[in-house]
Every structure is written in C-alpha cells, then in structure tokens.
Amino acid sequence: MSDPMQRSKNNPQQLNVRSIESGSLHPLYHALAAHAAKLPEPRHCYTMAKPTGSVCNLDCRYCFYLEKEKLYPERQKNWRMDDETLSRYIEQQMDAQEGPEVVFSWQGGEPTLMGIPFYQKAFALQESYAAQLAKGGRHVSVVNTFQTNGIKIDDAWAQLFAEHQVLVGISIDGPRELHDCYRVKRNGEPTFDKVMAAIEVLKRHKVRFNTLTVVHNENANYAREVYEFLISTGSEFLQFIPLVERAATESGEGLNLVLPDEKDAAVTPWSVGAAQFGHFLTDIFDIWVTRDVGRVFVQLFDSTLASHLGYSATLCSHAPQCGSNFAIEANGDVYACDHYVYPEHKLGNVHEDTLRTIRNSVENRAFGLAKTAHLSDKCVKCAWRFACHGGCPKHRFVFDGESSFPLHYLCPSYAHFFSHTKEKMTQMAALIVRGKSPIFIMK
C-alpha cells in the first residue's frame, strides 16, 4: 500500500471518491458532495480519542456509548489502543493542525483503564514529535484534556496530570442522590463517594479540573441544588450536557440508540424534557448573573455571550456548522463526531488514511455543511438563529408539519433560555464592547 500521507498530498479527494463509490456512507455525503467540494479545506480538526473504545468500569444507565461495543465484537478481548495506533494518532493529530496549538482529548469509555504507562508513552511521543517539528521550523504547544468518571483517580494519576499540566474533566451529575440515580458500577453500587474522593485528590495536587454534568429527567428538576453543589466542589467551569437519546421501538441486532433519521424510535424515559432543560438553565442563570459572573464559568453562558458579541458560538452544538470534530476509536477508526459513531458515518482509519486527509475530505465538509443545508424553515426565520443555528443535528427529529427538515427536540428549551437571558446578555456584551468587565452586570 502506498504511503497515506503522500497519497493525501497527491490526491486529497481520493478518500472521498473511494468512500462515495463504495456506497457505504450515509446518503447525506452523496447529496452534498458536489457543494461540499467547493468549500475551503479546514485548517484544524479536533479529535476525541477513545483508547478503550466503549469499555468502561461503570454501567451508567443512560450512557449512549456502552452499546458501541456491538460495532467491534472482535475487540472484546483486545480492546486497548495499541502502540502503533497511538503513535499514528499523535503524529497525525499534530500534522493536521495548521496553528501553533495542538489539543489531545482523551475520553472513553473510561480512559483511566488504559493505565498510567500508556499516557506516559503518549506524552513522550508528543514531546518527540513536537521536537521533530521544531527542527523543521514549526513550533507547537501541546494541550492534553482528560474526561473521566474519577473512579480510579489516586495520587499517582494526580501526579501524572500535574506533571503534564493536564486539564481534567470530572463527570458528576450533582449531589449524592442525583448523581447516584444513574451513575453506578456494574454491580449496581453507587459512585458518588469515589468521585468526590477523586476531586479531593486533584485539588491536593493542584490539578486543574472542571465538571461535566449530564442533565437528565431527574436532576433537571433541581437546578439550584445542582449548581450550588458543583460550585462547592471547587469547580469554576461547568458543562451541562442535555441527555437526549431515542431508542428503536423494535430491538434488533444493531444499535438500539438511533440517529434522527430513524422513524421507528421514541425518546428514552431518562432523557431531559423538551422544555425542562430550558427552565434548568434559566434557574441557574438567574443565580449566576447576580452573584457569580467572572468567578464561575458556564460553557453555554459563555457561548451565548460570544454570539451576542457577533462571534461564532464556542459550543459546537450551537456553531453555524459541524465538521472536523472527530472521534477516533481504539483500532484507529475515525468517525464524523462522537455522537455519530455509526458505520455509515465512519470517515476512515489512521492506518489507511491520515487525519489531515480525513479533515480535508469532501465527506467531512459535507457532514459539516449538512447542519446548515438541513436547517428547518422555522429555524431559518427564528430570532435566535444567531445563537443556536438549529442545535446539534443528532437531536433534530421533531417534524412540525410545516418545515421540510425536522426541528431540534430541545427547541422549546433554547427559545426559553435565549429569550429569558437576552436583556442581561445584551448588557454584558455592551460592557465588553466598551472595554469593561461583564462582572459589572452584578452591580
């Protein structure tokens, strides 16, 4: 086989031609290929690495990723990312960025199951490849982020994170009762105490950490309690991820949690309500805007403020387009997005292609273009389009009888949130434009 790096330079569309002719990809890649080919090639890509695949030491009842093991039945006994795949991923991730910063995002499954030596090797490879680039005149800074359930975090892990300045994300869904509602071990035991112990270890070693909270049907009813609790842990950056999943009405041999174009499916009972998420957000916003601006950072609030300033949303689900936000599985398979790890959205493999080739492919650009091309008529005319852009395409499955394309399931929530926060967001944006800090909104 010819060198994939050389192949991508000679014919950057070779991956596209082969994939489309194979007929294995989702129809959207075929429908938008001609238009996507005219778009400029991306200059960067974000890649979420899953070195354990879907393997995890928890059995969170709402997890959408655990069932991905069905895609790789042959890997149940050999699920770890091997050294060659790791090396290719790190080298290609550095090559695929045209800016001075390269981000490596380690997730899962549960990434700590790989063990400390795996990441010591990864960090050494990063340093080695960065040194090679420096010899050629290109200087890059490397950033590592690590999303974990915290169960295995101890002093040794914290020392590793501190030494390499890793930003750690801790998954925690609120106080004990709300966290343990779904986040349990495989034997059904609760995990709250283990997670809190992990946070204390990270704080003791002065490791930067933030919190990721999945908002589901239960904790969404306790916005104030969740917010106050997260702040009490010492977290200063909060991510709230709405849980929206649909399950096939008839179980089969394939994946049970389906894409939006699957008609025979129903929203799972653990998903947050279509309007419930909006009230959760505004309840928190009303506390934050009067007390915590500049002290606590909420991802969605930051993204919305950026939109009011005329910038693109910093949250991918509210950005104008998708694309170049890949997920790489343990065997090197690359998918269009973490939420689109389905066979028809597989874009390549780092053993056969490169991340730069995949980044530049028509498929990747077509996937990103689909977010705008498939925007509903209601979204096109919506007053909040500048801040929402129709939301994550994974959650667009509601037909209103008027639009040719479906609406986002959480449209009622986002409309409520953007309307409720408009006045304060506008005021904070005005402060920033005048060169003042948005903290003055609290006065």
Side-chain angles (χ1 to χ4, degrees):
M1 180 182 293
S2 62
D3 178 62
M5 186 73 74
Q6 185 64 41
R7 188 177 69 214
S8 68
K9 292 177 180 177
N10 293 340
N11 181 8
Q13 306 307 331
Q14 186 166 345
L15 170 63
N16 167 67
V17 173
R18 186 182 68 238
S19 298
I20 286 183
E21 286 181 350
S22 72
S24 61
L25 285 172
H26 192 278
L28 77 83
Y29 298 102
H30 302 251
L32 297 175
H35 191 175
K38 299 176 183 178
L39 298 177
E41 294 179 347
R43 299 183 65 248
H44 313 280
C45 66
Y46 173 82
T47 308
M48 184 184 295
K50 296 177 176 290
T52 68
S54 61
V55 175
C56 186
N57 52 355
L58 296 189
D59 190 19
C60 300
R61 297 188 178 103
Y62 59 53
C63 183
F64 74 95
Y65 217 83
L66 288 178
E67 71 166 7
K68 302 300 181 182
E69 64 183 7
K70 295 180 182 178
L71 297 177
Y72 300 97
E74 75 284 357
R75 293 184 59 80
Q76 293 309 299
K77 294 183 180 180
N78 185 26
W79 46 265
R80 298 169 57 90
M81 178 178 282
D82 61 33
D83 290 349
E84 182 181 1
T85 305
L86 174 66
S87 178
R88 285 176 178 262
Y89 162 56
I90 289 176
E91 182 176 19
Q92 291 178 24
Q93 179 70 357
M94 287 189 167
D95 177 70
Q97 317 310 315
E98 297 182 19
E101 183 178 85
V102 182
V103 177
F104 290 89
S105 178
W106 306 97
Q107 299 208 14
E110 173 50 39
T112 56
L113 295 180
M114 294 300 296
I116 289 176
F118 174 85
Y119 295 101
Q120 290 173 327
K121 184 175 299 182
F123 299 150
L125 286 169
Q126 292 171 359
E127 294 175 4
S128 175
Y129 289 133
Q132 291 180 31
L133 291 174
K135 290 180 180 179
R138 182 189 171 204
H139 298 275
V140 299
S141 61
V142 174
V143 176
N144 283 280
T145 68
F146 197 94
Q147 187 64 43
T148 174
N149 58 38
I151 301 302
K152 293 179 68 66
I153 300 299
D154 56 15
D155 287 309
W157 277 104
Q159 289 170 5
L160 177 75
F161 295 146
E163 178 184 352
H164 294 278
Q165 299 181 315
V166 178
L167 174 61
V168 178
I170 293 289
S171 298
I172 186 165
D173 288 355
R176 181 186 303 275
E177 296 78 9
L178 297 175
H179 175 84
D180 287 339
C181 178
Y182 290 117
R183 299 190 65 81
V184 297
K185 297 180 181 178
R186 291 190 175 276
N187 61 4
E189 292 182 0
T191 62
F192 179 80
D193 289 335
K194 287 280 190 180
V195 179
M196 292 302 295
I199 290 175
E200 292 306 313
V201 171
L202 295 176
K203 289 161 68 173
R204 189 165 65 246
H205 287 269
K206 296 179 170 55
V207 175
R208 294 180 303 146
F209 77 95
N210 58 41
T211 50
L212 185 152
T213 300
V214 175
V215 183
H216 48 73
N217 64 317
E218 294 291 342
N219 62 0
N221 294 318
Y222 301 93
R224 175 181 286 273
E225 291 84 349
V226 170
Y227 180 67
E228 299 288 13
F229 167 77
L230 294 174
I231 293 175
S232 75
T233 68
S235 177
E236 297 176 347
F237 187 87
L238 317 180
Q239 299 179 66
F240 295 112
I241 309 300
L243 176 61
V244 179
E245 292 294 341
R246 293 193 314 147
T249 52
E250 294 185 8
S251 60
E253 297 181 358
L255 297 176
N256 184 51
L257 300 177
V258 299
L259 286 168
D261 49 6
E262 174 61 55
K263 304 301 182 185
D264 297 324
V267 176
T268 60
W270 51 83
S271 293
V272 67
Q276 187 182 26
F277 185 56
H279 293 287
F280 174 88
L281 293 174
T282 54
D283 286 352
I284 291 176
F285 181 85
D286 288 346
I287 303 170
W288 175 83
V289 80
T290 58
R291 193 188 72 190
D292 296 328
V293 179
R295 184 175 75 92
V296 177
F297 300 88
V298 180
Q299 187 183 43
L300 180 58
F301 299 173
D302 289 347
S303 180
T304 305
L305 181 57
S307 298
H308 277 268
L309 285 164
Y311 300 107
S312 293
T314 56
L315 189 60
C316 69
S317 58
H318 293 313
Q321 288 192 351
C322 295
S324 301
N325 284 278
F326 306 130
I328 179 171
E329 273 285 335
N331 69 339
D333 283 348
V334 179
Y335 292 86
C337 171
D338 176 48
H339 287 280
Y340 280 79
V341 178
Y342 294 85
E344 59 268 43
H345 290 283
K346 176 185 165 184
L347 300 182
N349 183 290
V350 295
H351 292 280
E352 301 168 358
D353 312 290
T354 70
L355 286 174
R356 178 181 283 268
T357 305
I358 296 170
R359 183 202 74 181
N360 293 343
S361 70
V362 170
E363 291 89 350
N364 176 43
R365 283 176 279 171
F367 179 82
L369 177 65
K371 183 172 185 178
T372 300
H374 295 169
L375 204 60
S376 73
D377 298 336
K378 183 176 180 179
C379 287
V380 170
K381 302 172 184 176
C382 181
W384 310 119
R385 180 182 175 182
F386 75 97
C388 178
H389 294 285
C392 176
K394 172 73 180 295
H395 300 149
R396 293 181 187 173
F397 51 78
V398 178
F399 282 93
D400 62 355
E402 299 178 6
S403 301
S404 54
F405 294 107
L407 297 169
H408 197 284
Y409 169 77
L410 292 175
C411 182
S413 282
Y414 289 130
H416 173 72
F417 171 74
F418 294 132
S419 176
H420 182 89
T421 62
K422 177 184 177 182
E423 180 180 355
K424 297 297 184 182
M425 286 290 182
T426 301
Q427 292 172 0
M428 284 190 287
L431 285 168
I432 294 172
V433 169
R434 297 202 305 269
K436 296 182 180 296
S437 170
I439 65 172
F440 288 105
I441 192 72
M442 296 185 290
K443 298 182 179 181

mmCIF file with all atom_site columns, all heavy atoms in Angstrom, residues 13 29 41 48 57 62 177 311 325 335 343:
data_model
loop_
_atom_site.group_PDB
_atom_site.id
_atom_site.type_symbol
_atom_site.label_atom_id
_atom_site.label_alt_id
_atom_site.label_comp_id
_atom_site.label_asym_id
_atom_site.label_entity_id
_atom_site.label_seq_id
_atom_site.pdbx_PDB_ins_code
_atom_site.Cartn_x
_atom_site.Cartn_y
_atom_site.Cartn_z
_atom_site.occupancy
_atom_site.B_iso_or_equiv
_atom_site.pdbx_formal_charge
_atom_site.auth_seq_id
_atom_site.auth_comp_id
_atom_site.auth_asym_id
_atom_site.auth_atom_id
_atom_site.pdbx_PDB_model_num
ATOM 1   N N   . GLN A 1 13  ? -8.716  14.194 -2.674 1.00 0.00 ? 13  GLN A N   1
ATOM 2   C CA  . GLN A 1 13  ? -10.096 13.722 -2.757 1.00 0.00 ? 13  GLN A CA  1
ATOM 3   C C   . GLN A 1 13  ? -10.182 12.207 -2.931 1.00 0.00 ? 13  GLN A C   1
ATOM 4   O O   . GLN A 1 13  ? -11.257 11.666 -3.113 1.00 0.00 ? 13  GLN A O   1
ATOM 5   C CB  . GLN A 1 13  ? -10.829 14.404 -3.921 1.00 0.00 ? 13  GLN A CB  1
ATOM 6   C CG  . GLN A 1 13  ? -10.776 15.919 -3.890 1.00 0.00 ? 13  GLN A CG  1
ATOM 7   C CD  . GLN A 1 13  ? -11.236 16.485 -2.559 1.00 0.00 ? 13  GLN A CD  1
ATOM 8   O OE1 . GLN A 1 13  ? -12.051 15.883 -1.893 1.00 0.00 ? 13  GLN A OE1 1
ATOM 9   N NE2 . GLN A 1 13  ? -10.711 17.628 -2.176 1.00 0.00 ? 13  GLN A NE2 1
ATOM 10  N N   . TYR A 1 29  ? -23.783 12.364 2.567  1.00 0.00 ? 29  TYR A N   1
ATOM 11  C CA  . TYR A 1 29  ? -22.479 12.597 1.951  1.00 0.00 ? 29  TYR A CA  1
ATOM 12  C C   . TYR A 1 29  ? -22.591 12.606 0.429  1.00 0.00 ? 29  TYR A C   1
ATOM 13  O O   . TYR A 1 29  ? -21.884 13.349 -0.253 1.00 0.00 ? 29  TYR A O   1
ATOM 14  C CB  . TYR A 1 29  ? -21.478 11.526 2.393  1.00 0.00 ? 29  TYR A CB  1
ATOM 15  C CG  . TYR A 1 29  ? -21.210 11.521 3.871  1.00 0.00 ? 29  TYR A CG  1
ATOM 16  C CD1 . TYR A 1 29  ? -21.808 10.582 4.707  1.00 0.00 ? 29  TYR A CD1 1
ATOM 17  C CD2 . TYR A 1 29  ? -20.355 12.456 4.448  1.00 0.00 ? 29  TYR A CD2 1
ATOM 18  C CE1 . TYR A 1 29  ? -21.560 10.570 6.063  1.00 0.00 ? 29  TYR A CE1 1
ATOM 19  C CE2 . TYR A 1 29  ? -20.096 12.453 5.804  1.00 0.00 ? 29  TYR A CE2 1
ATOM 20  C CZ  . TYR A 1 29  ? -20.709 11.510 6.609  1.00 0.00 ? 29  TYR A CZ  1
ATOM 21  O OH  . TYR A 1 29  ? -20.462 11.500 7.952  1.00 0.00 ? 29  TYR A OH  1
ATOM 22  N N   . GLU A 1 41  ? -10.856 23.909 2.359  1.00 0.00 ? 41  GLU A N   1
ATOM 23  C CA  . GLU A 1 41  ? -10.440 22.848 3.259  1.00 0.00 ? 41  GLU A CA  1
ATOM 24  C C   . GLU A 1 41  ? -10.239 23.409 4.668  1.00 0.00 ? 41  GLU A C   1
ATOM 25  O O   . GLU A 1 41  ? -9.742  24.525 4.828  1.00 0.00 ? 41  GLU A O   1
ATOM 26  C CB  . GLU A 1 41  ? -9.144  22.202 2.766  1.00 0.00 ? 41  GLU A CB  1
ATOM 27  C CG  . GLU A 1 41  ? -9.307  21.447 1.449  1.00 0.00 ? 41  GLU A CG  1
ATOM 28  C CD  . GLU A 1 41  ? -8.000  20.825 0.968  1.00 0.00 ? 41  GLU A CD  1
ATOM 29  O OE1 . GLU A 1 41  ? -6.944  21.207 1.535  1.00 0.00 ? 41  GLU A OE1 1
ATOM 30  O OE2 . GLU A 1 41  ? -8.041  19.985 0.061  1.00 0.00 ? 41  GLU A OE2 1
ATOM 31  N N   . MET A 1 48  ? -11.446 13.523 19.403 1.00 0.00 ? 48  MET A N   1
ATOM 32  C CA  . MET A 1 48  ? -11.687 12.923 20.710 1.00 0.00 ? 48  MET A CA  1
ATOM 33  C C   . MET A 1 48  ? -11.210 11.478 20.655 1.00 0.00 ? 48  MET A C   1
ATOM 34  O O   . MET A 1 48  ? -11.793 10.655 19.948 1.00 0.00 ? 48  MET A O   1
ATOM 35  C CB  . MET A 1 48  ? -13.175 12.995 21.039 1.00 0.00 ? 48  MET A CB  1
ATOM 36  C CG  . MET A 1 48  ? -13.535 12.483 22.422 1.00 0.00 ? 48  MET A CG  1
ATOM 37  S SD  . MET A 1 48  ? -15.327 12.506 22.690 1.00 0.00 ? 48  MET A SD  1
ATOM 38  C CE  . MET A 1 48  ? -15.642 14.266 22.631 1.00 0.00 ? 48  MET A CE  1
ATOM 39  N N   . ASN A 1 57  ? -15.642 1.082  33.351 1.00 0.00 ? 57  ASN A N   1
ATOM 40  C CA  . ASN A 1 57  ? -15.794 0.394  34.636 1.00 0.00 ? 57  ASN A CA  1
ATOM 41  C C   . ASN A 1 57  ? -17.099 0.769  35.337 1.00 0.00 ? 57  ASN A C   1
ATOM 42  O O   . ASN A 1 57  ? -17.333 0.350  36.468 1.00 0.00 ? 57  ASN A O   1
ATOM 43  C CB  . ASN A 1 57  ? -14.601 0.681  35.555 1.00 0.00 ? 57  ASN A CB  1
ATOM 44  C CG  . ASN A 1 57  ? -14.321 2.166  35.703 1.00 0.00 ? 57  ASN A CG  1
ATOM 45  O OD1 . ASN A 1 57  ? -14.955 3.002  35.052 1.00 0.00 ? 57  ASN A OD1 1
ATOM 46  N ND2 . ASN A 1 57  ? -13.362 2.513  36.547 1.00 0.00 ? 57  ASN A ND2 1
ATOM 47  N N   . TYR A 1 62  ? -27.829 5.601  31.568 1.00 0.00 ? 62  TYR A N   1
ATOM 48  C CA  . TYR A 1 62  ? -28.199 6.442  30.426 1.00 0.00 ? 62  TYR A CA  1
ATOM 49  C C   . TYR A 1 62  ? -27.125 6.503  29.345 1.00 0.00 ? 62  TYR A C   1
ATOM 50  O O   . TYR A 1 62  ? -27.288 7.185  28.342 1.00 0.00 ? 62  TYR A O   1
ATOM 51  C CB  . TYR A 1 62  ? -28.548 7.853  30.873 1.00 0.00 ? 62  TYR A CB  1
ATOM 52  C CG  . TYR A 1 62  ? -27.447 8.606  31.616 1.00 0.00 ? 62  TYR A CG  1
ATOM 53  C CD1 . TYR A 1 62  ? -26.170 8.746  31.095 1.00 0.00 ? 62  TYR A CD1 1
ATOM 54  C CD2 . TYR A 1 62  ? -27.717 9.210  32.839 1.00 0.00 ? 62  TYR A CD2 1
ATOM 55  C CE1 . TYR A 1 62  ? -25.190 9.449  31.761 1.00 0.00 ? 62  TYR A CE1 1
ATOM 56  C CE2 . TYR A 1 62  ? -26.740 9.933  33.515 1.00 0.00 ? 62  TYR A CE2 1
ATOM 57  C CZ  . TYR A 1 62  ? -25.477 10.049 32.970 1.00 0.00 ? 62  TYR A CZ  1
ATOM 58  O OH  . TYR A 1 62  ? -24.499 10.748 33.627 1.00 0.00 ? 62  TYR A OH  1
ATOM 59  N N   . GLU A 1 177 ? -27.763 11.992 45.803 1.00 0.00 ? 177 GLU A N   1
ATOM 60  C CA  . GLU A 1 177 ? -28.979 11.330 45.328 1.00 0.00 ? 177 GLU A CA  1
ATOM 61  C C   . GLU A 1 177 ? -29.150 11.475 43.820 1.00 0.00 ? 177 GLU A C   1
ATOM 62  O O   . GLU A 1 177 ? -29.606 10.540 43.134 1.00 0.00 ? 177 GLU A O   1
ATOM 63  C CB  . GLU A 1 177 ? -30.211 11.887 46.041 1.00 0.00 ? 177 GLU A CB  1
ATOM 64  C CG  . GLU A 1 177 ? -30.242 11.643 47.539 1.00 0.00 ? 177 GLU A CG  1
ATOM 65  C CD  . GLU A 1 177 ? -29.330 12.592 48.309 1.00 0.00 ? 177 GLU A CD  1
ATOM 66  O OE1 . GLU A 1 177 ? -28.804 13.550 47.696 1.00 0.00 ? 177 GLU A OE1 1
ATOM 67  O OE2 . GLU A 1 177 ? -29.134 12.367 49.517 1.00 0.00 ? 177 GLU A OE2 1
ATOM 68  N N   . TYR A 1 311 ? -19.612 36.879 17.520 1.00 0.00 ? 311 TYR A N   1
ATOM 69  C CA  . TYR A 1 311 ? -18.690 35.790 17.234 1.00 0.00 ? 311 TYR A CA  1
ATOM 70  C C   . TYR A 1 311 ? -19.459 34.481 17.072 1.00 0.00 ? 311 TYR A C   1
ATOM 71  O O   . TYR A 1 311 ? -20.620 34.374 17.470 1.00 0.00 ? 311 TYR A O   1
ATOM 72  C CB  . TYR A 1 311 ? -17.658 35.633 18.360 1.00 0.00 ? 311 TYR A CB  1
ATOM 73  C CG  . TYR A 1 311 ? -16.800 36.847 18.588 1.00 0.00 ? 311 TYR A CG  1
ATOM 74  C CD1 . TYR A 1 311 ? -16.975 37.652 19.710 1.00 0.00 ? 311 TYR A CD1 1
ATOM 75  C CD2 . TYR A 1 311 ? -15.807 37.200 17.675 1.00 0.00 ? 311 TYR A CD2 1
ATOM 76  C CE1 . TYR A 1 311 ? -16.192 38.769 19.925 1.00 0.00 ? 311 TYR A CE1 1
ATOM 77  C CE2 . TYR A 1 311 ? -15.017 38.314 17.874 1.00 0.00 ? 311 TYR A CE2 1
ATOM 78  C CZ  . TYR A 1 311 ? -15.213 39.100 18.999 1.00 0.00 ? 311 TYR A CZ  1
ATOM 79  O OH  . TYR A 1 311 ? -14.437 40.211 19.205 1.00 0.00 ? 311 TYR A OH  1
ATOM 80  N N   . ASN A 1 325 ? -14.735 17.607 13.953 1.00 0.00 ? 325 ASN A N   1
ATOM 81  C CA  . ASN A 1 325 ? -14.770 17.248 15.373 1.00 0.00 ? 325 ASN A CA  1
ATOM 82  C C   . ASN A 1 325 ? -14.890 15.727 15.455 1.00 0.00 ? 325 ASN A C   1
ATOM 83  O O   . ASN A 1 325 ? -15.980 15.187 15.675 1.00 0.00 ? 325 ASN A O   1
ATOM 84  C CB  . ASN A 1 325 ? -15.941 17.928 16.077 1.00 0.00 ? 325 ASN A CB  1
ATOM 85  C CG  . ASN A 1 325 ? -15.690 19.386 16.348 1.00 0.00 ? 325 ASN A CG  1
ATOM 86  O OD1 . ASN A 1 325 ? -15.035 19.742 17.319 1.00 0.00 ? 325 ASN A OD1 1
ATOM 87  N ND2 . ASN A 1 325 ? -16.197 20.234 15.471 1.00 0.00 ? 325 ASN A ND2 1
ATOM 88  N N   . TYR A 1 335 ? -14.562 8.621  13.116 1.00 0.00 ? 335 TYR A N   1
ATOM 89  C CA  . TYR A 1 335 ? -15.963 8.927  12.832 1.00 0.00 ? 335 TYR A CA  1
ATOM 90  C C   . TYR A 1 335 ? -16.171 10.435 12.784 1.00 0.00 ? 335 TYR A C   1
ATOM 91  O O   . TYR A 1 335 ? -15.397 11.209 13.358 1.00 0.00 ? 335 TYR A O   1
ATOM 92  C CB  . TYR A 1 335 ? -16.870 8.308  13.893 1.00 0.00 ? 335 TYR A CB  1
ATOM 93  C CG  . TYR A 1 335 ? -16.902 6.799  13.844 1.00 0.00 ? 335 TYR A CG  1
ATOM 94  C CD1 . TYR A 1 335 ? -15.950 6.050  14.518 1.00 0.00 ? 335 TYR A CD1 1
ATOM 95  C CD2 . TYR A 1 335 ? -17.878 6.127  13.113 1.00 0.00 ? 335 TYR A CD2 1
ATOM 96  C CE1 . TYR A 1 335 ? -15.967 4.663  14.464 1.00 0.00 ? 335 TYR A CE1 1
ATOM 97  C CE2 . TYR A 1 335 ? -17.906 4.742  13.049 1.00 0.00 ? 335 TYR A CE2 1
ATOM 98  C CZ  . TYR A 1 335 ? -16.948 4.015  13.731 1.00 0.00 ? 335 TYR A CZ  1
ATOM 99  O OH  . TYR A 1 335 ? -16.960 2.639  13.677 1.00 0.00 ? 335 TYR A OH  1
ATOM 100 N N   . PRO A 1 343 ? -21.771 3.065  11.657 1.00 0.00 ? 343 PRO A N   1
ATOM 101 C CA  . PRO A 1 343 ? -20.998 2.613  10.484 1.00 0.00 ? 343 PRO A CA  1
ATOM 102 C C   . PRO A 1 343 ? -21.070 3.565  9.293  1.00 0.00 ? 343 PRO A C   1
ATOM 103 O O   . PRO A 1 343 ? -20.069 3.790  8.603  1.00 0.00 ? 343 PRO A O   1
ATOM 104 C CB  . PRO A 1 343 ? -21.626 1.256  10.156 1.00 0.00 ? 343 PRO A CB  1
ATOM 105 C CG  . PRO A 1 343 ? -22.151 0.762  11.464 1.00 0.00 ? 343 PRO A CG  1
ATOM 106 C CD  . PRO A 1 343 ? -22.642 1.984  12.188 1.00 0.00 ? 343 PRO A CD  1
#
